[in-house]
């Protein structure tokens, strides 16, 4: 029977880094001889639109119909519900552990005109379906047609590469005379299961659909199945390795992206090193000199540069509450991503259905204390007022953005009756977790941050009168933001292709978390270097508004990423309103989060740089 851990169990196991969502078959994955192996139906949908999926019974076939069977509905974890799974058992597929099954009837039906039209449309749209046997996925197409033009090379490999079974012969169906010679779509009526076991555990599962039968009004459909078992020496822990695609994800281009990012990082680090070791050293020598030494070395009295704004550089930034909200949210997301990646590397989340989505939810809830801490610290350090109101804004900012897009996506999914509709139960669970965990942790983090800021002071005091900012070309600041955002994108664009290929396809599973962690670490270094460079250029122009500039210069990277996602969509085979809404809603949320992440990191790097250089000069 299908058994799912409760949400509180999922939270504890995710925090412990041992999340295992075994929601099909037995939790132990161990069977006795001739014990029934449950086949779970999941979802169906057009091949070109990975997220446009519907319930299995929407095919209108007789497999799950009838009063003589009892169809069980599987419970879902938070991650599985967010990924759009819908589990229903298929009692008519009676597979016993270790026992071969000859060709066995499943059900019979005669197509009505309406069902024939609907089924033909689904076959022409290359509908596929997904089954699970003992947590192992199976993909297959509903049928075939003469217009079959999709690339199914990888899917065919998953279905047949290790299958050593023999497909039962199929006869030529008797087609009515008035339909003979017409290119009718054909539905597969036989499924042959090939299962591999090691002792009392299932290691591999394959299925070959066959016996295509023409679809027309009055067509008799006789569905059957068969099963054969083989022994294998493959270990249980390695059974999900066959679903990975090392030729794609470990391609030399992927390694090139690492080298490309590393070289870019070295170049930017060298630029920053030159600024620190040469320019700043010369500035420190001049600004720290005594009055007599200045008179001796004076060659015209160059009074321009970052030293001139030391009385304004720590002035409160404009719209402090908004700045605190976006910066604190970025710190929160950065910590969440780091934790998820570390646990993913240690626990192989790709092997557990829904584990990645569950880990993101739980990690977001428990790392909210980081955002609260940074927000409370920055807000008090710059002397902000009404900190309680700002704390509430921080706590609700990102959830509000996600909720707004969720309403649009979920409403569209409800209209289409798609499986991407998040169940009301899951919404209540997430809302409860937010109230129980997120709110108190964020409050505690804010209080801790305010206490930490109480003992901090700026290296130089802030003057009462603002220093006038020299006039610059109106394109100076926008050009800096546009240029600075493009540099970190150079670290990301190759990795983005692999990530998008895994997310927006059926047959690719992203598993190279080490690559992603390396790219993110290099991206962090690049962002810090870019931010420091932009801040130094800005301060040398005697413009002390470095806080927003450092944030926006790095956050601009997300704009380029979003433009890349638009390019990817229009060069893919995805289409339809539901898929478009889901794609751009998800991509927009991702890019907003990436912008906050990069912006917060950029400000943190610039803040450290500004504190460093102004703590080494004599204040006026």
């Amino acid at each position: 029977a299908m058994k799912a851990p409760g949400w509180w169990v999922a939270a504890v196991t995710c925090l412990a880094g041992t999340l295992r969502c075994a929601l099909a078959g037995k939790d132990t994955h161990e069977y006795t001889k001739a014990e029934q192996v449950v086949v779970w139906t999941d979802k169906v949908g057009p091949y070109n639109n990975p997220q446009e999926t519907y319930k299995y019974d929407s095919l209108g076939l007789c497999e799950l119909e009838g009063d003589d069977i009892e169809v069980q509905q599987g419970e879902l974890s938070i991650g599985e519900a967010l990924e759009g799974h819908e589990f229903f058992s298929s009692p008519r597929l009676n597979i016993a552990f270790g026992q071969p099954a000859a060709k066995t009837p499943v059900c019979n039906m005669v197509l009505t005109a309406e069902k024939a039209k609907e089924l033909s449309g689904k076959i022409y749209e290359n509908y596929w379906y997904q089954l699970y046997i003992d947590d192992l996925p199976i993909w297959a197409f509903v049928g075939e047609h003469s217009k079959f033009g999709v690339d199914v090379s990888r899917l065919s490999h998953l279905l047949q590469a290790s299958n050593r079974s023999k497909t039962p012969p199929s006869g030529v169906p008797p087609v009515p005379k008035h339909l003979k010679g017409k290119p009718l779509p054909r539905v597969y009526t036989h499924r042959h299961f090939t299962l591999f076991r090691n002792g009392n555990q299932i290691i591999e599962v394959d299925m070959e659909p066959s016996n295509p039968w023409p679809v027309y009004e009055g067509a008799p459909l006789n569905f059957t199945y068969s099963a054969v078992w083989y022994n294998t020496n493959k270990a249980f822990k390695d059974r999900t390795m066959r679903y990975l695609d090392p030729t794609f994800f470990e391609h030399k281009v992927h390694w090139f992206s690492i080298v490309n990012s590393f070289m870019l990082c070295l170049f930017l680090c060298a630029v920053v090193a030159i600024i620190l070791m040469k320019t700043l050293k010369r500035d420190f020598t001049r600004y720290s000199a005594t009055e007599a030494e200045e008179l001796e070395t004076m060659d015209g009295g160059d009074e321009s540069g970052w030293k001139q704004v030391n009385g304004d550089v720590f002035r409160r930034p404009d719209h402090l509450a908004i700045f605190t909200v976006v910066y604190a949210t970025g710190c929160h997301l950065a910590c969440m991503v780091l934790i998820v990646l570390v646990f993913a590397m240690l626990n192989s989340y790709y092997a557990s259905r829904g584990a990645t989505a569950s880990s993101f939810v739980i990690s977001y809830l428990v790392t909210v204390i980081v955002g609260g801490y940074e927000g409370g610290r920055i807000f008090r350090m710059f002397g902000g007022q009404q900190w309680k109101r700002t704390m509430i804004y921080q706590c609700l900012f990102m959830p509000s953005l996600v909720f707004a897009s969720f309403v649009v996506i979920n409403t569209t999914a409800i209209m289409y009756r798609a499986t991407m509709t998040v169940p009301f139960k899951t919404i209540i669970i997430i809302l409860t977790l937010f109230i129980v965990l997120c709110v108190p942790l964020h409050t505690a983090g804010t209080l801790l941050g305010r206490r930490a800021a109480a003992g901090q002071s700026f290296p130089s005091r802030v003057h009462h009168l603002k220093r006038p900012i020299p006039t610059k070309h109106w394109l100076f600041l926008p050009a800096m933001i546009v240029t600075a955002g493009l540099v970190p994108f150079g670290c990301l664009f190759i990795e983005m292709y692999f990530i998008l290929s895994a997310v927006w396809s059926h047959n690719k599973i992203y598993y190279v978390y080490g690559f992603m962690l390396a790219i993110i670490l290099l991206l962090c270094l690049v962002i810090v270097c870019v931010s420091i460079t932009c801040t130094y250029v800005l301060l040398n122009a005697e413009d002390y508004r470095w806080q927003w500039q450092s944030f926006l210069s790095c956050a601009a990277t997300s704009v380029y990423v979003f433009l890349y996602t638009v390019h990817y969509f229009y060069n893919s085979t995805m289409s339809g309103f539901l898929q478009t809404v889901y794609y751009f809603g998800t991509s927009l949320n991702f890019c907003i989060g990436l912008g906050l992440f990069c912006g917060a990191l950029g400000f943190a790097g610039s803040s450290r740089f500004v504190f460093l250089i102004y703590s080494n000069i004599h204040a006026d």
Side-chain angles (χ1 to χ4, degrees):
M2 181 177 284
K3 186 177 180 181
W7 63 266
W8 57 274
V9 177
V12 174
T13 52
C14 181
L15 292 176
T18 58
L19 183 60
R20 291 290 184 270
C21 298
L23 299 180
K26 289 177 173 289
D27 288 340
T28 59
H29 300 284
E30 296 180 353
Y31 296 84
T32 59
K33 187 175 182 180
E35 182 180 352
Q36 183 180 9
V37 178
V38 181
V39 179
W40 296 96
T41 63
D42 189 6
K43 52 189 176 182
V44 301
Y47 182 80
N48 291 338
N49 296 338
Q51 277 65 42
E52 184 184 343
T53 55
Y54 306 94
K55 292 183 179 180
Y56 183 82
D57 58 7
S58 65
L59 290 174
L61 304 179
C62 58
E63 181 179 346
L64 302 182
E65 298 177 353
D67 299 330
D68 58 326
I69 59 172
E70 182 181 354
V71 178
Q72 300 178 3
Q73 183 175 3
E75 296 184 12
L76 302 175
S77 69
I78 293 177
E80 288 175 324
L82 295 177
E83 291 178 359
H85 292 284
E86 289 272 359
F87 296 116
F88 293 92
S89 65
S90 182
R92 290 194 170 101
L93 296 178
N94 189 13
I95 299 178
F97 183 78
Q99 301 295 313
K103 189 174 182 179
T104 306
V106 176
C107 63
N108 303 322
M109 66 181 296
V110 177
L111 288 177
T112 62
E114 182 181 357
K115 285 195 173 184
K117 182 179 179 181
E118 291 180 358
L119 185 58
S120 297
K122 289 178 171 62
I123 294 175
Y124 278 128
E125 292 181 11
N126 303 316
Y127 262 57
W128 62 280
Y129 62 90
Q130 185 169 347
L131 306 177
Y132 275 92
I133 296 181
D134 192 50
D135 272 345
L136 296 175
I138 304 171
W139 300 276
F141 284 98
V142 175
E144 63 184 23
H145 59 88
S146 58
K147 301 178 183 178
F148 207 87
V150 299
D151 179 14
V152 295
S153 56
R154 174 62 183 159
L155 191 63
S156 299
H157 170 73
L158 292 177
L159 293 175
Q160 300 178 3
S162 301
N163 198 330
R164 296 190 288 270
S165 65
K166 294 182 179 180
T167 306
S170 58
V172 180
V175 181
K177 291 183 179 180
H178 68 283
L179 295 176
K180 286 186 177 180
K182 294 185 178 181
L184 296 175
R186 297 170 294 278
V187 60
Y188 294 121
T189 59
H190 182 80
R191 285 180 284 191
H192 183 78
F193 293 91
T194 304
L195 303 99
F196 298 84
R197 64 170 184 166
N198 186 350
N200 59 352
Q201 294 179 314
I202 298 175
I203 305 300
E204 288 184 15
V205 177
D206 281 307
M207 185 190 72
E208 289 186 48
S210 60
N211 195 23
W213 196 276
V215 176
Y216 55 90
E217 181 183 357
L221 301 182
N222 303 314
F223 294 97
T224 57
Y225 77 96
S226 58
V228 63
W229 289 82
Y230 294 100
N231 292 318
T232 180
N233 294 325
K234 181 182 290 188
F236 180 82
K237 63 182 178 64
D238 297 327
R239 69 177 193 157
T240 57
M241 298 296 291
R242 65 189 297 262
Y243 299 104
L244 308 182
D245 189 2
T247 58
F248 177 78
F249 286 105
E250 299 179 30
H251 193 271
K252 60 182 180 181
V253 174
H254 210 165
W255 287 101
F256 171 76
S257 68
I258 300 287
V259 176
N260 172 66
S261 301
F262 181 71
M263 297 303 296
L264 181 61
C265 182
L266 283 182
F267 172 74
L268 292 173
C269 287
V271 172
V272 174
I274 292 173
I275 293 175
L276 294 176
M277 296 177 61
K278 292 186 177 180
T279 309
L280 288 180
K281 184 178 180 180
R282 183 178 66 249
D283 292 340
F284 283 142
T285 302
R286 184 172 77 249
Y287 296 147
S288 300
T290 63
E291 185 175 351
E293 292 172 338
E294 288 181 356
L295 292 174
E296 292 177 3
T297 59
M298 183 177 299
D299 56 356
D302 181 14
E303 290 298 326
S304 63
W306 55 271
K307 167 63 168 61
Q308 304 307 311
V309 295
N310 75 312
D312 299 270
V313 71
F314 295 108
R315 191 176 298 281
R316 180 191 306 176
D318 296 334
H319 311 293
L320 177 61
I322 299 177
F323 180 81
T324 303
V325 168
V326 294
Y327 169 69
T329 304
C331 294
H332 177 196
L333 294 178
C335 187
M336 177 196 71
V337 169
L338 179 61
I339 290 179
V340 170
L341 276 180
V342 170
F343 280 128
M345 293 177 61
L346 297 176
N347 293 273
S348 301
Y349 280 169
Y350 63 83
S352 301
R353 186 179 54 249
T356 302
S358 297
S359 65
F360 268 110
V361 172
I362 303 302
S363 296
Y364 179 89
L365 295 173
V366 299
T367 56
V368 71
I369 191 172
V370 177
Y373 178 87
E374 282 298 306
R377 185 180 67 86
I378 291 297
F379 194 72
R380 182 167 184 175
M381 182 182 297
F382 283 105
Q385 304 297 322
Q386 298 179 329
W387 65 272
K388 294 180 181 178
R389 179 186 300 178
T390 306
M391 178 184 68
I392 296 175
Y393 292 160
Q394 293 173 31
C395 190
L396 298 179
F397 174 64
M398 197 63 194
S400 298
L401 292 178
V402 174
F403 180 76
S405 61
F406 166 77
V407 169
V408 176
I409 295 173
N410 207 52
T411 302
T412 306
I414 292 174
M415 292 171 53
Y416 279 79
R417 298 183 179 180
T419 60
M420 294 308 298
T421 304
V422 179
F424 182 73
K425 175 184 175 182
T426 303
I427 298 175
I428 294 299
I429 290 175
I430 294 177
L431 182 61
T432 304
L433 285 171
F434 177 80
I435 296 174
V436 172
L437 289 178
C438 197
V439 174
L441 286 177
H442 191 277
T443 303
T446 302
L447 295 175
L448 291 174
R450 289 182 59 82
R451 176 178 294 182
Q456 295 180 352
S457 60
F458 296 127
S460 59
R461 63 184 180 85
V462 179
H463 295 171
H464 293 292
L465 297 177
K466 286 187 178 181
R467 178 186 177 88
I469 299 174
T471 304
K472 298 183 291 294
H473 195 282
W474 66 272
L475 273 177
F476 179 79
L477 296 181
M480 179 184 292
I481 293 174
V482 171
T483 306
L486 185 60
V487 176
F489 178 70
C491 291
L492 282 178
F493 76 97
I494 296 179
E495 189 66 24
M496 284 302 303
Y497 170 75
F498 290 98
I499 295 175
L500 294 176
S501 298
V503 173
W504 304 109
S505 67
H506 305 284
N507 49 17
K508 288 183 175 60
I509 300 174
Y510 193 93
Y511 67 96
V512 283
Y513 303 114
F515 276 101
M516 185 182 292
L517 182 61
I519 289 293
I520 288 181
L521 293 178
L522 290 173
L523 174 67
C524 292
L525 290 176
V526 170
I527 286 175
V528 170
C529 293
V530 168
S531 178
I532 291 175
T533 304
C534 291
T535 299
Y536 180 75
V537 171
L538 190 70
L539 294 178
N540 259 347
E542 299 183 26
D543 191 337
Y544 50 81
R545 300 169 297 182
W546 60 273
Q547 296 94 342
W548 274 111
Q549 191 68 16
S550 62
F551 186 94
L552 294 176
S553 295
C554 297
T557 302
S558 62
V559 177
Y560 293 100
V561 173
F562 183 75
L563 293 176
Y564 183 80
T565 61
V566 174
H567 165 78
Y568 183 88
F569 179 83
Y570 285 104
N571 284 274
S572 70
T573 57
M574 291 181 281
S575 61
F577 183 72
L578 175 60
Q579 182 66 33
T580 302
V581 168
Y582 188 87
Y583 180 90
F584 283 104
T586 306
S587 298
L588 185 61
N589 275 331
F590 170 77
C591 292
I592 290 175
L594 179 65
L596 295 171
F597 168 86
C598 295
L601 191 63
F603 170 74
S606 288
S607 178
R608 182 67 177 169
F609 170 74
V610 171
F611 270 73
L612 174 65
I613 63 175
Y614 282 96
S615 62
N616 284 278
I617 64 173
H618 296 310
D620 292 337

